[in-house]
Amino acid sequence: MKKSKIAGCLLLCVAATAYAETTTITVNTRNTSLIYKVDDAGKLRQIYFGPILDAESVENTQMTQVDAYPAFGTSYINEAALRVVHGDGNTSTELYFDGVEQNRLGDDMTETVITLKDGYFPFTVKLFFRAYETNDIIEQWSEITHAEKKPVTLYNFASSHLFFNEPSYYLTQFCGEWAMEMNMVETQLSRGVKNIESKLGVRSDQHAHPCFYLSLGGKAQERAGRVIGGTLAWPGSYRLSFEVDHRENLHIVSGINPYASHYILAPKEVFKTPALLYTYSDSGVGVISRRFHRWAQKYGIYRGDKTRTTLLNNWEATYFDFNEEVLSGIIKDAADMGFELFLLDDGWFGNKYPRNSDNAGLGDWDCNKKKLPHGLGYLVEEAKKNGIKFGIWLEPEMVNPKSELYEKHPDWVIGQPHRQLDLSRNQLILDLSNPKVQDFVFGVIDKILSENPDIAYIKWDCNRFVTNSGSYFLSPEKQSHLWIGYVRGLFSVLERVRTKYKDVSMMCCSGGGGRIDYATLPYFDEFWISDNTDALDRIFIQWGTTQFFPSMALASHVSVVPNHITGRTEPLKFRFDVAMSAKLGMDLQPKDMSPEDKTFSRNAIKDYYKIRPIVQFGDLYRLLSPYESRRTAMMYVAEDKSEAVLFAYLLKKTINGDTQPLILEGLEPARNYKVTELNKASQGYSWFTPLEGKVFSGDYLMKYGLRFTMYNEYESKVIYIESVK
Ligand code: DGJ
């Protein structure tokens, strides 16, 4: 065995000259190790990613020929992580190890920075790895700089490259479309390249989310099997590329989509890629979700430790057709039912071009005097009088051509000369790569919030993607920078909003699940995953979404029947039981409800408050998948395991009843738990009555389970599980 240096301990720096001996770099979380070595030629090789190895095992790992960050020209068998044309026109890059630094960033986090340098050009790539130890998550990105005389053009600039050598690979992707988001589809990978990607630029996640499970040696399972879960933190165009090569090795390259996005990098400028967040589990995907949820509460969403409020939104209640009286009535009813906030949706602004439909007014953020003669302040006051908070809808990145804003600034939109305006939902996107547009967007929010300091909540919408991808601001040779410049502009605005308005809650909305990622969510308290509020469809959409994103931030609204999108009619209890499994809200006109339905809603909301801490801060265990069985079930368990709540839904009627046992998870085997039904359909008999109030050991519940029959389509149960002496 060769003499080796191991960079696994902290505050360690290894200089370039040291690689005469083998340098080994280990990035450890509590349960996983990612290992690199420098070979005799000074190249950085990926050695291993999997369950944690002890120091001796790390020492004994063997050298590979796998480039840690393959560069075009010298490492071109597979998809390159990096492809660059240097200042003198040279198209190849040859990266050599130049040093590593490891630092502890906190009790639970280390950062490893590996520096690679080109053998000839003054061109540097730094690979960053943040290891979140308890959560077992690694955050990886790269930073590219150079000191060449002329600018360098970047064509490929990946965040990460990961390598696996396994008998088979199964990829789960999360794909969808407006109103049918986050469908889980698993495929076995065969030779060649499979890309999960978006070229949409804005609201990029609409058709495919930048998330994946990669199961090694067999299909992904909930409780068993070796799986990698990853998600790219980037709201713009992205590409996750999975290549099975001629030797059946798998290479995963992640990052900004290089498609039509070459970037001219000036000397000394730092090009920072987005981060890939990933984790390895040897006990299935359930663990992966729980790790991401816990991680998100700490690092991935805004104020992840704060309770999320319930709200009533007037979108499906009124659409654009409302006035002060109608809204005041809704506010009163919302408060009366027990909601904590009223959210005023689209349609409240525009005077010269009133926003009475989606074809005018966007961009003119002045209160519409006809609908709301006393201004926003009046409604904020109405909410206050009724003891609830007030929130407002904005779509600040967009503009209708029929608006005063467009009349004044036609060159602020994304578009190109000699081309017709390409409208989608009758609107255009403002060019956020332009600092003046950034100022405008920040100014809109700043004005509304400073004039109405009691506004507690913003729903930040985003309803179209990029076409005609030109910028009137960027120079002709930098037009391809728009995709990246837009996202940077967006973050700069969000940063300013958050610096000034720390206490305002914000919902990241992009009807169609278009913008949910861990670069955007640190600015937002919650997100709107779908315009489809049909509870049956929502079970699937929420099942997919919560694989990576926590339920505490997933707004789920009870809406009217027949559902406006699907036309399906489901019982109010079923609609509540689905919405209560995430962040409860409502999207209907309360004055159209019967007194019985109002009473039911009042009680359901009360029950939600009882379980809210468990739903919002507990660990999610998925028991029965809607993809596999007629009955679907999931539960949340409080961190201290003293309480849990179980949700069960029957998706299809079964003539003799569905008797599928519900084998619980996450409880303490030795503790006793009392089970009680919540949000009952009526006070009378329920199929759960024989078990009502009974006490069982955690061991029993996790082996024999809860057994009760369900018969009818859209039947549902919410069971509260409480530890007792
Ligand atoms: C799309 C959102 O997803 C809806 O909830 C609603 O806010 C509309 N936009 C308003 O235009």
Side-chain angles (χ1 to χ4, degrees):
M1 170 112 313
K2 259 194 191 160
K3 219 172 136 204
S4 75
K5 274 184 181 265
I6 298 185
C9 42
L10 299 174
L11 291 167
L12 181 143
C13 297
V14 178
T17 47
Y19 61 70
E21 316 158 317
T22 308
T23 297
T24 303
I25 302 159
T26 309
V27 176
N28 275 348
T29 64
R30 190 161 63 179
N31 293 300
T32 67
S33 293
L34 171 65
I35 300 173
Y36 294 95
K37 279 186 179 175
V38 182
D39 70 11
D40 289 344
K43 295 256 181 160
L44 183 72
R45 307 296 189 185
Q46 191 199 311
I47 304 298
Y48 172 85
F49 178 47
I52 191 159
L53 299 183
D54 61 23
E56 194 187 336
S57 307
V58 171
E59 174 97 5
N60 287 332
T61 55
Q62 295 160 9
M63 185 57 75
T64 69
Q65 294 203 320
V66 180
D67 272 328
Y69 194 73
F72 177 82
T74 52
S75 172
Y76 45 78
I77 292 178
N78 307 106
E79 286 283 299
L82 182 79
R83 185 163 79 85
V84 168
V85 175
H86 295 277
D88 67 355
N90 192 319
T91 61
S92 65
T93 302
E94 198 163 19
L95 295 174
Y96 292 96
F97 175 74
D98 190 61
V100 57
E101 267 190 55
Q102 289 195 308
N103 289 302
R104 179 157 284 288
L105 297 188
D107 286 355
D108 199 33
M109 196 196 300
T110 60
E111 187 175 85
T112 303
V113 186
I114 306 175
T115 302
L116 305 174
K117 287 208 151 117
D118 186 85
Y120 175 78
F121 294 103
F123 181 92
T124 306
V125 176
K126 288 190 177 192
L127 305 180
F128 285 77
F129 303 84
R130 265 196 193 158
Y132 298 88
E133 292 166 356
T134 314
N135 301 117
D136 278 315
I137 284 178
I138 296 176
E139 180 182 12
Q140 181 178 350
W141 73 95
S142 53
E143 291 186 7
I144 305 169
T145 47
H146 72 91
E148 297 185 26
K149 289 203 180 72
K150 290 188 185 156
V152 158
T153 308
L154 308 179
Y155 287 92
N156 290 61
F157 27 76
S159 303
S160 65
H161 165 254
L162 282 170
F163 167 86
F164 298 93
N165 177 1
E166 294 283 339
S168 59
Y169 312 97
Y170 288 81
L171 175 69
T172 303
Q173 56 184 307
F174 298 81
C175 48
E177 168 54 308
W178 177 79
M180 46 177 291
E181 297 79 1
M182 278 282 192
N183 298 287
M184 295 171 68
V185 178
E186 188 172 36
T187 350
Q188 183 171 3
L189 294 176
S190 57
R191 283 229 191 154
V193 183
K194 158 98 185 162
N195 286 333
I196 299 175
E197 65 177 336
S198 167
K199 297 173 183 142
L200 303 181
V202 172
R203 80 148 21 184
S204 311
D205 307 349
Q206 189 178 349
H207 303 140
H209 267 75
C211 305
F212 68 89
Y213 286 142
L214 194 265
S215 181
L216 304 172
K219 287 189 166 188
Q221 300 167 57
E222 188 63 32
R223 292 164 204 87
R226 297 176 303 131
V227 195
I228 290 91
T231 178
L232 189 79
W234 185 247
S237 301
Y238 69 87
R239 191 168 82 182
L240 304 170
S241 149
F242 300 81
E243 178 179 14
V244 180
D245 70 17
H246 57 296
R247 292 189 177 158
E248 310 293 338
N249 298 317
L250 175 70
H251 302 258
I252 307 177
V253 178
S254 81
I256 293 173
N257 201 330
Y259 180 81
S261 292
H262 60 274
Y263 190 92
I264 301 167
L265 189 67
K268 305 263 177 338
E269 184 185 347
V270 179
F271 184 93
K272 182 176 175 189
T273 71
L276 181 75
L277 293 147
Y278 58 97
T279 185
Y280 168 89
S281 152
D282 48 19
S283 46
V285 300
V287 172
I288 292 182
S289 304
R290 288 188 287 280
R291 284 180 188 163
F292 271 103
H293 297 167
R294 285 265 166 243
W295 175 87
Q297 284 175 352
K298 230 168 153 187
Y299 308 103
I301 46 172
Y302 193 65
R303 295 188 296 193
D305 57 342
K306 297 273 180 300
T307 300
R308 272 46 180 165
T309 45
T310 60
L311 62 82
L312 194 146
N313 185 9
N314 72 308
W315 177 239
E316 288 194 38
T318 62
Y319 295 106
F320 298 96
D321 186 16
F322 55 78
N323 58 29
E324 261 171 17
E325 199 193 329
V326 169
L327 295 181
S328 302
I330 298 180
I331 289 173
K332 199 169 168 310
D333 279 329
D336 183 52
M337 272 190 278
F339 285 108
E340 295 163 326
L341 187 141
F342 167 72
L343 169 58
L344 172 58
D345 213 285
D346 198 352
W348 60 267
F349 49 89
N351 285 297
K352 181 172 174 192
Y353 299 105
R355 179 77 170 168
N356 291 328
S357 75
D358 62 17
N359 70 6
L362 208 50
D364 301 344
W365 299 103
D366 297 316
C367 204
N368 179 285
K369 294 200 174 77
K370 212 161 158 206
K371 287 185 196 173
L372 306 174
H374 299 98
L376 282 180
Y378 174 84
L379 291 172
V380 178
E381 225 15 71
E382 280 295 287
K384 215 173 183 180
K385 267 202 273 172
N386 283 280
I388 61 174
K389 293 179 182 160
F390 184 87
I392 195 155
W393 179 95
L394 289 168
E395 195 178 5
E397 296 157 80
M398 304 279 166
V399 62
N400 286 127
K402 228 168 150 190
S403 68
E404 293 182 74
L405 179 67
Y406 185 74
E407 283 175 349
K408 242 189 269 160
H409 298 289
D411 57 337
W412 277 10
V413 301
I414 290 180
Q416 283 169 322
H418 321 304
R419 303 281 173 240
Q420 298 203 355
L421 289 183
D422 185 33
L423 302 183
S424 169
R425 210 195 186 208
N426 302 307
Q427 66 196 53
L428 294 162
I429 308 180
L430 292 174
D431 175 9
L432 273 180
S433 72
N434 181 343
K436 280 202 185 123
V437 176
Q438 294 168 23
D439 287 346
F440 166 79
V441 173
F442 173 73
V444 166
I445 297 155
D446 194 28
K447 182 164 182 285
I448 292 169
L449 291 182
S450 52
E451 284 175 359
N452 302 280
D454 284 329
I455 290 185
Y457 185 102
I458 286 177
K459 176 176 178 180
W460 182 310
D461 210 343
C462 173
N463 282 304
R464 71 159 290 181
F465 52 78
V466 174
T467 54
N468 268 352
S469 57
S471 163
Y472 294 96
F473 166 73
L474 294 168
S475 61
E477 64 284 3
K478 290 197 175 164
Q479 287 293 304
S480 59
H481 288 207
L482 175 65
W483 308 97
I484 295 167
Y486 186 92
V487 176
R488 288 179 180 164
L490 172 69
F491 286 151
S492 147
V493 173
L494 286 168
E495 198 59 49
R496 285 164 77 182
V497 171
R498 272 310 180 203
T499 305
K500 188 152 178 198
Y501 299 103
K502 295 196 170 40
D503 294 336
V504 174
S505 295
M506 292 210 291
M507 176 202 263
C508 181
C509 172
S510 179
R515 189 186 269 169
I516 299 167
D517 67 84
Y518 280 127
T520 309
L521 292 181
Y523 298 102
F524 288 89
D525 303 69
E526 53 200 58
F527 54 83
W528 185 240
I529 177 65
S530 182
D531 280 351
N532 186 345
T533 52
D534 176 302
L536 178 63
D537 286 358
R538 273 282 178 151
I539 287 175
F540 286 87
I541 294 168
Q542 295 178 186
W543 192 268
T545 307
T546 51
Q547 304 287 325
F548 284 89
F549 302 99
S551 305
M552 71 174 309
L554 193 161
S556 188
H557 293 183
V558 173
S559 63
V560 78
V561 286
N563 183 274
H564 288 177
I565 286 180
T566 65
R568 215 177 269 132
T569 297
E570 295 140 355
L572 185 60
K573 171 173 165 53
F574 184 72
R575 285 176 274 150
F576 258 106
D577 286 355
V578 171
M580 283 163 72
S581 73
K583 206 226 76 170
L584 174 70
M586 191 177 247
D587 229 299
L588 53 72
Q589 170 53 285
K591 104 173 153 35
D592 297 339
M593 293 168 94
S594 66
E596 296 74 39
D597 279 358
K598 273 198 180 151
T599 305
F600 182 86
S601 302
R602 212 168 284 125
N603 290 332
I605 294 162
K606 248 191 232 145
D607 277 352
Y608 181 69
Y609 291 140
K610 182 166 181 179
I611 58 171
R612 172 161 66 175
I614 320 172
V615 172
Q616 296 194 0
F617 298 102
D619 284 309
L620 169 67
Y621 291 86
R622 292 181 288 259
L623 309 183
L624 294 175
S625 164
Y627 287 93
E628 288 161 9
S629 62
R630 281 182 304 244
R631 187 196 292 216
T632 179
M634 34 136 19
M635 64 189 286
Y636 296 93
V637 182
E639 208 170 3
D640 67 0
K641 299 185 184 293
S642 62
E643 291 176 295
V645 57
L646 166 75
F647 295 89
Y649 312 100
L650 192 65
L651 310 183
K652 249 206 156 338
K653 179 166 175 62
T654 47
I655 300 301
N656 298 315
D658 184 290
T659 54
Q660 179 85 57
L662 299 177
I663 311 295
L664 306 196
E665 286 187 57
L667 303 173
E668 198 82 68
R671 278 200 196 170
N672 286 327
Y673 293 92
K674 184 166 129 188
V675 295
T676 323
E677 183 175 357
L678 294 184
N679 202 29
K680 289 177 78 163
S682 69
Q683 289 320 304
Y685 187 85
S686 125
W687 304 120
F688 193 76
T689 303
L691 297 173
E692 180 71 29
K694 293 237 162 93
V695 174
F696 302 103
S697 71
D699 188 60
Y700 169 95
L701 292 169
M702 293 193 291
K703 287 178 178 161
Y704 182 79
L706 279 178
R707 297 178 184 227
F708 57 93
T709 309
M710 291 172 88
Y711 289 91
N712 293 317
E713 218 141 85
Y714 314 141
E715 220 175 277
S716 54
K717 288 275 172 274
V718 181
I719 311 299
Y720 176 60
I721 300 158
E722 179 191 17
S723 144
V724 288
K725 289 267 179 264

